[in-house]
Amino acid sequence: KEATRVLMPAYYDAWCALAEMLESGEFEIRTKLKEGDILLMDNTRMLHGRTEFCGSRMLQGCYVDMDGVLSTLRLLSIREDLEDAMS
């Protein structure tokens, strides 16, 4: 309980500072995607959202875990090393 009492003011100060940063627009990037455009982002590294939109659109989401990506890269690297060794 003592740690909570001591840490809560710092927590709320940090929370308020984050809220101010988010509302300031200083760190905001806006882009308008055209038909056929793709936007990739790491959800663990970027806070993101969408603005209001009038009309029709199609959004497609997918999730890629880094373990799968890194495993595939390792396998491709091994395959490439084997092919180099055989040629």
Side-chain angles (χ1 to χ4, degrees), residues 28-46:
E28 186 175 290
I29 298 171
R30 289 179 180 239
T31 186
K32 188 171 186 177
L33 300 176
K34 299 180 297 297
E35 184 177 342
D37 285 351
I38 186 170
L39 177 64
L40 300 173
M41 67 189 81
D42 183 344
N43 276 344
T44 64
R45 305 283 300 180
M46 180 183 293

Side-chain angles (χ1 to χ4, degrees), residues 5 8 20 27 31 38 48 52 64-65 68 74-75 77-78 83:
R5 186 185 67 74
M8 286 310 288
E20 285 180 24
F27 304 98
T31 186
I38 186 170
H48 59 88
E52 183 178 354
V64 178
D65 68 279
R74 275 192 302 276
L75 290 173
S77 177
I78 291 169
E83 289 173 354

